[in-house]
Amino acid sequence: RNNPNYLIHGPTSLGITIVSVRSEPIKNTPYIDPGFQWEYLRVSFMPPVSRQLTVVSLTMRPANDLSARSRIILNAPSLHRENGVSGPFQFNTLGSGDGLDWMFFANEALWDESLKRMTFFLREGMVLPKGRSATLHTNEGEFRLPVEMPANWDQLTVEVRSFDDIDEIIRATSVVQSTRVPHVRMFPYSELAYASPVSRAMTNVVLTFRTNRPMFVGTAIYMRLAGFQAEVIEVPIVSENKHYFKKGIAYFSLSDNILQLNVSRTIYSNEESVSVTLQNMHLPTSLYENDASLLIWNSDPDAERQVIDVSPEVRSSAVGPVKQFTRSQVAFDPQEPRMPANITFTIMPSIIFYQGDTIVLHLYGFLSTRSVIPLVGEDASRIAGGSGVWFPDQYMLLLIVAENQIISNEVPLVISIARETNFRLPDKLSRNDGILRIEGRGALINVEQIKKTPWLGDRKFVIDSRLVLEPVPDGWHTSVGLSPPSIEGELSLSVARLHFSMILNADVLPNSTIYIKLGAVTRDLPPNSVESQSGTIRISGSNAPLFVDESAQWQQLSNLLTVKVVHNVQISAGQRVRFFIERDQYFRLPYAMYPNDPSFMLEVPEAGITPQQPFNFTTRVSLDTKTFVRTDLYYNSRGSLANPREVVDVTLKFQPNVDLPPGCIIRLKLPGFSSPSERVPLRSPEDQIIGELDLSLVVRFATWSQVTQTLDLEVQPGPSIPRTALIVMRVLKEDGGFRLGANPLEPNDQRLTIAVIQNQIIREEPIKLSPRVVDRSFMMSEFDYFPPVINNPFLLTMRLQPTVNITSATDIIILLPGFRNALSKLNIQITGANRSYIKDAMGRWNQTSYELTLSVPLTNPIRAFSTIDLRIEEAQGFILPLALDANDTRITIRSVGNINPEPIKKSPMVGNGPANDHLFCMIQGEHGVRTTDPNCAAPDCNPPLTDPCSDVELKRCGCGLRSLEPLNITIKGFNLLPSDQLVFLPYSELCALESGRQGVLTAFSRPVRKVVSTDRSSVDYEGISSIETGHFRMCVVHDSKTYDVGRIVVRPACRAPLVMVDGTCVADCPKTKIPEAGGF
């Protein structure tokens, strides 16, 4: 009543300095009954240690009587019941003000785990009088304190409610006193620095840290420096504050990589950062930036091992992962799905693993009923207990490094699980399946795919995948400030809604990433948007919650959309997944697409579905397909002639009918081309033309592969290549250029192709315009002879097509070796349809040099690639030589100072077959003949040689004498064949086509072997013998024709003067016999 704290005063408009009535208490105020309340409240904890089990004590003294069965409620946020269960718990009043206080309360209280509060009940019929103090204690081991709690914390409140919990008797009131629960000492900040952050370097290590409370004498600081080494156990501290630590040293345990600093003087590291320098420690092979394997903690009970906040990266190599398993391999024997097998793991990390460190194998799909998996092999002893720990729910096998053991980064760890262990294989695995993963804990190596796994069971693939493109409503583009498509409601060039649907035949695990290549679309934000083209985009649909934050990541440069499965959800095989990207994410479609466009691809490496697989169905955006509207390739300047093997400037002009965004790779296939460098610079065109775009502004260098003979042009980050412009690419020979191939190229040669192989895929198609590339030669040179008979006059027809112009200054000269002119003509009349291209229609023949010269009129040159047909009639007296090969290279053509001599490309064979003047001598029964020179027929031998077995006759005709040993029968000729058949007939019979069908006569044996000379000018028939004597005609069946090649004389095997009679050598011939062949 009349509370003096209620005041009144009268200010004026002149401000606070001049008042009409000064401040004074209001003279009369009523009394307001405060109702039920507490006189005193206190909560204490014993012991008050962070995160420890404690006894909670509540001391209360009400200012009013509390009626029977009232609820006394202690609200204790962050307090935790050890068993985590809501329900009754026991308490006591030991040490309360009166030993009878227990009689006022029910024997059990209630704990609500969700509301974090205790409820005590007054007994029925008992009233707690005002002013009476009572203290209630929980039992030991019942409740655990939070990390920290300030003194007299106002969040600790006590209230009283009716038994039915409807009426509030005393509102929630903060306690007057409560025990402080100090935070466990921790490190709000910690940092490591190295004087020389080089792999395996010996260097000083600087630890900088702050703590939340002082580090008192007797406290220890621990660091787990995974992979570090030191040459001594007692590592010197060389910083100025070394006297704060016992003996100025730190103790290093190499076996578990733990460094211990014992505080000998209080360090007030809660007020300022402290830096400690440790001398000469060896850095590990590699460390991540802010590596989570570097830990720091202190000696307080339950002190948390904290990751050191800041630490630099240490790399063993400038490229590749910082840390990895350089070898990780699993092999099965036998490779039977769902069956037990001998399973061998080969593991070699890039860093050393010490005792207590763990290698974790994520083996999804493997099965075992055991929790401890025995290991076999020489290296099994390196794993604690010689066994791995299997967690079947997580498909995880833990390999813990045994005490006083290491896993080296130089020698692989090879361990096996025996088939008898009944560790079963999954139903299917792809080769090098990403679903099998490995990681390092302790000595940290981030999760990565096991590098080598065998194929097992059925193939993993996408059962069904669909991408449906839905046009937006008419007028929507204009409403958001975007340019509309050419026709409202069409997909071409439109911003659209993208619907995705997919079914896989393999499970997709939590945290796996699905990669979707959308090479044909780009993100086209409105001009006033502040978002980046790349980054996070929202996804919608029934299955969008399957993915982290219901969002995806878009990379504009690579046209790659990635969605990551949330950590607690698995996508099962056969489950259809649907989601869509709404139009307000501004994905714009191209002008044209293929049906089921290959620019849209799907890949899930972590589920073993790799490489990228095209969508089974994609919507078309228009009736047009993707193509290059114009492609025009030429060398040096337009219209100039390029020769094979020539180094040239290359210019290509092309225009796609779709935009090519950054990340697209345009591939040119240039067969036969070569370049001295793989990185080919692009240059600006010689003349800038309106409507043409210089490709070097977008692509500065191209990549040349000599193996595949392809040139790749990757569009760099920045503007897209527009479909409305003609793009010009130019490579100069001054920069190395390209050397054309040795083979000619036709006009618009179909082998020269262009494609886009990445992002906006355009299938390979021929370059539409390209010039002919040929040597200075006759592209066509064809001769024909009618009839092709040796030593006979014939009609010569010629068809020629030069690749360059032939003028009056560059005569055509044809070399015809062995040809003769029976009429001794020097001027040869030329006829034929194109005789007007030959001056005076006359050629000049030189019998000495065998050259025919054709001059071209001054006024009528032969144009490049024009075809001319010429004839030389039989009446001009030309006679063919004895033999000519088909396409005989001795016949050449040239144009003086213009085209070098080259063989005629096509001409018929002349004079092929065996010679006709063979003469052999054979001894009856011998395998072979005695003739050394079967073709000796001296023209001046008169009378001609008839007896090849007579040395007198042979000597008379100047032929070689008989051989002392049998020789093979050698038939000479021109272009003889292995199929040529030698036939022997009685000399009275003539060779005919039927002779070959009769085979070798019974008197002569078949040849054991036939050997054709390399120049096909002779055939040796080995091992032929005769059982009869006499004179025989020899025929050869060659190329379906029969030729008379001479005769063979078979003499009896009797020495002169004996003669053979009925198979017996006798001195005299009976009167009844007529001698046919004398003795040998």
Side-chain angles (χ1 to χ4, degrees):
R1 183 184 300 276
N2 303 328
N3 193 322
N5 292 324
Y6 290 89
L7 304 176
I8 187 171
H9 72 287
T12 68
S13 60
L14 299 177
I16 61 173
T17 57
I18 300 176
V19 296
S20 60
V21 180
R22 296 184 181 280
S23 178
E24 60 181 53
I26 295 176
K27 292 180 173 58
N28 189 1
T29 59
Y31 171 77
I32 300 176
D33 186 354
F36 288 83
Q37 58 184 320
W38 297 105
E39 284 186 1
Y40 179 73
L41 290 172
R42 179 169 63 86
V43 174
S44 61
F45 308 107
M46 183 57 65
V49 180
S50 173
R51 294 192 296 191
Q52 296 298 304
L53 292 172
T54 189
V55 173
V56 182
S57 300
L58 169 62
T59 301
M60 68 189 99
R61 185 167 65 243
N64 310 91
D65 292 343
L66 297 182
S67 60
R69 302 186 71 186
S70 293
R71 293 172 176 256
I72 300 172
I73 300 171
L74 170 61
N75 295 297
S78 70
L79 198 65
H80 174 68
R81 192 177 184 186
E82 185 65 9
N83 63 12
V85 177
S86 297
F89 67 92
Q90 301 293 322
F91 68 98
N92 62 76
T93 59
L94 184 65
S96 187
D98 190 324
L100 299 178
D101 285 346
W102 62 273
M103 299 179 63
F104 287 93
F105 300 94
N107 61 344
E108 286 184 331
L110 291 178
W111 169 255
D112 191 320
E113 181 68 26
S114 60
L115 298 178
K116 302 292 184 183
R117 69 185 190 180
M118 302 176 187
T119 302
F120 303 91
F121 296 90
L122 291 177
R123 289 179 185 270
E124 186 172 0
M126 298 297 293
V127 175
L128 184 62
K130 67 178 180 179
R132 183 182 179 109
S133 294
T135 301
L136 310 178
H137 309 282
T138 63
N139 293 340
E140 292 183 357
E142 188 78 42
F143 291 95
R144 185 177 294 275
L145 289 170
V147 174
E148 184 177 22
M149 189 180 293
N152 308 326
W153 191 31
D154 59 3
Q155 298 298 310
L156 291 173
T157 63
V158 182
E159 59 181 304
V160 181
R161 302 185 67 86
S162 63
F163 179 75
D164 58 10
D165 203 19
I166 296 176
D167 298 325
E168 182 183 72
I169 299 173
I170 299 178
R171 68 179 182 274
T173 306
S174 298
V175 298
V176 179
Q177 289 180 318
S178 67
T179 309
R180 176 174 177 256
V181 179
H183 198 301
V184 171
R185 272 179 295 194
M186 57 175 294
F187 296 85
Y189 179 78
S190 55
E191 178 182 354
L192 279 182
Y194 318 126
S196 176
V198 178
S199 176
R200 301 184 181 180
M202 177 188 283
T203 183
N204 290 349
V205 177
V206 180
L207 167 66
T208 302
F209 65 90
R210 287 179 68 96
T211 57
N212 61 333
R213 291 192 290 128
M215 303 298 287
F216 297 108
V217 176
T219 305
I221 299 173
Y222 301 98
M223 285 193 294
R224 210 287 175 156
L225 302 177
F228 281 66
Q229 298 180 16
E231 295 182 350
V232 293
I233 295 175
E234 298 179 344
V235 178
I237 299 173
V238 295
S239 51
E240 293 181 357
N241 55 6
K242 63 182 180 181
H243 56 276
Y244 282 86
F245 302 94
K246 186 177 179 180
K247 297 182 181 181
I249 59 174
Y251 297 91
F252 185 67
S253 171
L254 178 60
S255 59
D256 50 16
N257 288 160
I258 293 180
L259 189 90
Q260 178 179 342
L261 298 94
N262 296 313
V263 178
S264 58
R265 296 175 61 180
T266 299
I267 302 173
Y268 293 96
S269 51
N270 59 324
E271 299 178 0
E272 61 180 359
S273 296
V274 176
S275 294
V276 181
T277 303
L278 306 167
Q279 187 179 43
N280 293 343
M281 296 197 71
H282 290 272
L283 297 181
T285 305
S286 50
L287 288 168
Y288 297 118
E289 184 177 6
N290 306 329
D291 199 301
S293 66
L294 305 178
L295 306 176
I296 188 169
W297 69 99
N298 62 74
S299 55
D300 284 359
D302 287 336
E304 181 183 356
R305 293 193 177 197
Q306 299 174 246
V307 175
I308 293 176
D309 297 310
V310 178
S311 60
E313 180 182 84
V314 175
R315 299 184 69 101
S316 59
S317 173
V319 296
V322 177
K323 290 193 283 188
Q324 63 172 330
F325 288 91
T326 51
R327 286 190 64 183
S328 55
Q329 177 180 347
V330 60
F332 317 131
D333 182 29
Q335 291 184 207
E336 293 291 337
R338 304 183 184 90
M339 299 298 291
N342 296 310
I343 304 171
T344 301
F345 299 97
T346 303
I347 301 168
M348 187 169 71
S350 64
I351 59 174
I352 299 174
F353 277 61
Y354 292 87
Q355 68 178 36
D357 290 335
T358 304
I359 294 175
V360 182
L361 297 169
H362 298 273
L363 304 175
Y364 182 77
F366 287 71
L367 297 174
S368 178
T369 57
R370 299 182 179 214
S371 58
V372 177
I373 307 298
L375 304 175
V376 297
E378 293 183 1
D379 293 333
S381 60
R382 298 182 182 275
I383 305 303
S387 58
V389 182
W390 175 247
F391 295 87
D393 294 341
Q394 304 173 54
Y395 300 99
M396 188 166 65
L397 182 66
L398 268 58
L399 307 175
I400 303 171
V401 182
E403 187 176 359
N404 298 322
Q405 294 288 340
I406 65 168
I407 294 178
S408 172
N409 61 349
E410 296 178 347
V411 179
L413 171 79
V414 181
I415 55 174
S416 298
I417 299 174
R419 188 176 184 180
E420 294 74 21
T421 306
N422 199 29
F423 200 77
R424 291 180 176 266
L425 302 178
D427 63 336
K428 55 179 169 289
L429 287 173
S430 300
R431 189 176 303 280
N432 305 329
D433 200 314
I435 207 167
L436 303 184
R437 288 172 280 180
I438 186 172
E439 65 173 304
R441 295 180 182 175
L444 179 68
I445 297 180
N446 293 334
V447 178
E448 63 180 55
Q449 174 184 331
I450 293 180
K451 290 182 168 58
K452 191 172 183 181
T453 58
W455 191 293
L456 180 69
D458 297 332
R459 183 176 69 91
K460 292 186 177 184
F461 60 93
V462 181
I463 298 174
D464 182 55
S465 54
R466 301 175 67 84
L467 174 56
V468 178
L469 311 173
E470 179 183 340
V472 299
D474 294 351
W476 181 84
H477 296 80
T478 306
S479 67
V480 296
L482 293 176
S483 58
S486 55
I487 301 177
E488 288 290 351
E490 284 199 352
L491 283 169
S492 180
L493 299 176
S494 172
V495 170
R497 182 184 293 117
L498 281 58
H499 292 264
F500 298 89
S501 171
M502 64 193 76
I503 304 175
L504 314 179
N505 79 330
D507 296 337
V508 180
L509 301 184
N511 296 315
S512 297
T513 301
I514 299 175
Y515 297 85
I516 302 173
K517 186 77 168 181
L518 300 177
V521 303
T522 56
R523 197 176 185 207
D524 185 13
L525 294 171
N528 57 352
S529 175
V530 296
E531 292 184 52
S532 172
Q533 302 283 17
S534 298
T536 302
I537 63 169
R538 296 189 303 277
I539 61 175
S540 307
S542 57
N543 297 128
L546 289 176
F547 305 106
V548 174
D549 298 330
E550 297 188 36
S551 65
Q553 296 298 316
W554 171 251
Q555 299 176 26
Q556 183 85 341
L557 178 60
S558 57
N559 288 61
L560 188 65
L561 182 77
T562 57
V563 288
K564 187 173 183 179
V565 181
V566 295
H567 71 281
N568 57 352
V569 172
Q570 173 178 310
I571 300 175
S572 301
Q575 176 184 349
R576 183 176 291 278
V577 177
R578 296 184 180 92
F579 62 91
F580 64 89
I581 299 175
E582 190 51 271
R583 60 179 181 244
D584 60 4
Q585 299 304 301
Y586 304 105
F587 280 90
R588 185 179 292 278
L589 303 178
Y591 168 77
M593 283 170 48
Y594 297 112
N596 305 327
D597 199 296
S599 302
F600 299 105
M601 308 284 283
L602 180 65
E603 182 180 22
V604 193
E606 291 159 308
I609 297 176
T610 187
Q612 293 180 338
Q613 299 182 23
F615 275 78
N616 299 118
F617 171 81
T618 59
T619 310
R620 292 188 67 173
V621 299
S622 67
L623 295 178
D624 292 336
T625 59
K626 291 186 285 188
T627 186
F628 288 91
V629 178
R630 179 179 173 185
T631 46
D632 184 1
L633 175 71
Y634 59 88
Y635 316 112
N636 298 325
S637 60
R638 186 181 293 280
S640 63
L641 178 67
N643 299 313
R645 297 175 294 277
E646 181 183 353
V647 178
V648 295
D649 298 339
V650 176
T651 301
L652 172 68
K653 296 185 177 184
F654 64 92
Q655 182 181 357
N657 69 341
V658 290
D659 294 342
L660 302 182
C664 286
I665 296 179
I666 304 162
R667 171 165 290 178
L668 305 179
K669 191 170 184 180
L670 305 173
F673 286 50
S674 61
S675 176
S677 59
E678 294 182 358
R679 197 163 182 256
V680 180
L682 303 187
R683 301 300 181 188
S684 298
E686 191 171 7
D687 299 313
Q688 297 287 345
I689 301 175
I690 296 175
E692 294 185 352
L693 177 64
D694 180 6
L695 184 61
S696 66
L697 300 176
V698 182
V699 182
R700 295 191 60 190
F701 291 91
T703 302
W704 171 251
S705 170
Q706 192 61 55
V707 176
T708 59
Q709 297 182 328
T710 55
L711 184 70
D712 287 349
L713 310 161
E714 183 171 1
V715 182
Q716 299 303 307
S720 299
I721 292 179
R723 69 184 187 90
T724 55
L726 183 64
I727 314 303
V728 183
M729 179 207 81
R730 192 163 183 242
V731 177
L732 299 180
K733 54 189 172 187
E734 288 79 4
D735 296 323
F738 281 97
R739 183 183 295 277
L740 299 176
N743 296 323
L745 294 172
E746 297 290 335
N748 310 326
D749 198 297
Q750 300 292 294
R751 293 171 294 171
L752 302 174
T753 64
I754 185 171
V756 180
I757 63 169
Q758 183 171 291
N759 279 6
Q760 180 64 280
I761 292 177
I762 301 180
R763 293 175 179 143
E764 185 178 24
E765 59 183 64
I767 292 175
K768 292 179 172 59
L769 295 176
S770 62
R772 187 191 300 272
V773 175
V774 290
D775 240 330
R776 286 184 168 270
S777 65
F778 287 90
M779 180 171 286
M780 182 189 301
S781 54
E782 299 178 0
F783 282 16
D784 214 342
Y785 320 123
F786 300 98
V789 179
I790 60 175
N791 294 323
N792 280 323
F794 66 97
L795 166 67
L796 171 62
T797 65
M798 297 178 284
R799 171 167 286 188
L800 306 175
Q801 185 184 54
T803 62
V804 292
N805 294 340
I806 298 179
T807 66
S808 59
T810 55
D811 290 348
I812 298 173
I813 298 179
I814 303 172
L815 177 64
L816 299 169
F819 284 66
R820 293 182 295 115
N821 190 285
L823 303 178
S824 300
K825 283 191 171 187
L826 299 179
N827 295 316
I828 308 299
Q829 184 179 359
I830 307 298
T831 60
N834 302 113
R835 63 183 181 276
S836 59
Y837 284 108
I838 307 303
K839 184 179 181 181
D840 300 329
M842 297 292 289
R844 300 188 302 278
W845 172 249
N846 186 326
Q847 187 64 62
T848 304
S849 62
Y850 298 103
E851 289 182 343
L852 177 66
T853 301
L854 305 176
S855 298
V856 178
L858 179 65
T859 57
N860 191 20
I862 301 174
R863 300 294 179 184
F865 304 109
S866 60
T867 301
I868 59 173
D869 291 302
L870 303 175
R871 292 162 60 100
I872 299 178
E873 304 291 340
E874 297 96 319
Q876 299 303 306
F878 276 104
I879 295 177
L880 289 168
L882 294 177
L884 289 174
D885 287 325
N887 309 325
D888 200 303
T889 57
R890 295 171 295 171
I891 303 175
T892 64
I893 186 171
R894 61 190 172 100
S895 173
V896 178
N898 191 20
I899 299 175
N900 292 328
E902 60 181 55
I904 294 294
K905 291 180 171 57
K906 186 176 180 181
S907 62
M909 181 183 293
V910 174
N912 65 312
N916 57 6
D917 54 356
H918 296 80
L919 193 58
F920 291 99
C921 173
M922 176 180 280
I923 305 300
Q924 181 184 16
E926 274 190 355
H927 293 279
V929 296
R930 294 300 183 97
T931 303
T932 59
D933 185 6
N935 298 95
C936 177
D940 55 350
C941 182
N942 192 16
L945 176 64
T946 57
D947 187 1
C949 294
S950 170
D951 282 341
V952 176
E953 285 290 292
L954 292 172
K955 188 174 183 179
R956 179 179 67 81
C957 291
C959 298
L961 301 181
R962 295 175 302 176
S963 171
L964 299 178
E965 298 293 336
L967 304 175
N968 295 328
I969 296 177
T970 300
I971 301 298
K972 297 183 180 181
F974 181 64
N975 279 331
L976 301 181
L977 302 172
S979 60
D980 289 354
Q981 181 182 358
L982 180 61
V983 181
F984 299 91
L985 300 175
Y987 196 70
S988 59
E989 298 182 15
L990 299 178
C991 294
L993 185 60
E994 292 75 13
S995 302
R997 299 194 183 103
Q998 297 171 4
V1000 178
L1001 296 178
T1002 55
F1004 288 84
S1005 65
R1006 293 182 179 275
V1008 176
R1009 188 170 65 132
K1010 291 187 285 187
V1011 179
V1012 181
S1013 63
T1014 54
D1015 61 357
R1016 295 168 58 188
S1017 63
S1018 65
V1019 180
D1020 285 350
Y1021 295 87
E1022 299 180 5
I1024 295 179
S1025 64
S1026 176
I1027 59 175
E1028 294 185 5
T1029 60
H1031 294 257
F1032 300 90
R1033 191 181 303 276
M1034 294 190 300
C1035 307
V1036 171
V1037 179
H1038 168 80
D1039 196 21
S1040 301
K1041 297 178 182 178
T1042 303
Y1043 296 82
D1044 187 338
V1045 297
R1047 63 191 176 93
I1048 184 170
V1049 177
V1050 182
R1051 290 290 178 90
C1054 299
R1055 292 289 179 183
L1058 301 179
V1059 294
M1060 181 170 283
V1061 178
D1062 296 329
T1064 304
C1065 294
V1066 296
D1068 299 308
C1069 184
K1071 295 181 179 179
T1072 59
K1073 298 289 185 181
I1074 300 175
E1076 292 184 358
F1080 181 63

